[in-house]
Amino acid sequence: QEDLSPLQILLGVVLVAASASLPYGLIDLMNAENTAVRFVICLPFVLFFFRTLEAIFGFTPHGATSSSKIYSIYFTMPVEMIFDGDNKPVIASRDDILHSIKKTAYSILILISLISILSPHDYTPFGKTVAGEYYEYIIISEYLHPGHLGNCFLIALLFQQALGLGDAIF
């Protein structure tokens, strides 16, 4: 791995900070209160965050850096591209596509089930707590309340399934 210049480090810090903070600004700007809508807003930024970290620490596959076109596709796609010995992208076979369709259908079924269970409870099946929003002061006793922790676990599970859907599609 090569040494990073101060400019590259600064650019990496700016990109990571932007990908971590921009979704909150968009959510506020759009006044999005629905949890599912908030997830949709956040998903591309999570991908961007991890791809940026991957590039900063030198874990981008060699095939992805073979041209700017391939790198742009690799950076924006929510999938791991596979490259052959000549650093060219490998095309999916018919069996790979059928397997992906099955995985996608299964992930959609789980995601719809979770949304159907959580939505009637406003995504807080263990009751609303006064733990506050991300910009409010934190009260530790409210954050560690079992109901709040249960709600956070289910939202994390929902978020994981949404990310898993992106993986299953491709």
Side-chain angles (χ1 to χ4, degrees), residues 21 23-28 38 131-138 143:
S21 61
Y24 293 110
L26 284 174
I27 288 169
D28 283 346
R38 288 179 177 198
E133 291 289 331
Y134 62 91
Y135 52 83
E136 296 177 340
Y137 291 107
I138 296 173
Y143 256 69

Side-chain angles (χ1 to χ4, degrees), residues 2 21 25 29 51 58 61 64 69 80 96-97 119 123 135 145:
E2 62 188 55
S21 61
L29 182 68
R51 292 285 194 217
K69 176 184 173 185
E80 287 297 320
D96 291 336
I97 293 170
S119 182
Y123 298 91
Y135 52 83
H145 185 272

Side-chain angles (χ1 to χ4, degrees), residues 11 21 28 48-49 53 76 80-81 85 113 122 130 132 138 167:
L11 181 60
S21 61
D28 283 346
F48 182 68
F49 178 80
L53 288 178
T76 57
E80 287 297 320
M81 292 175 65
S113 299
D122 198 28
V130 289
I138 296 173
D167 181 51

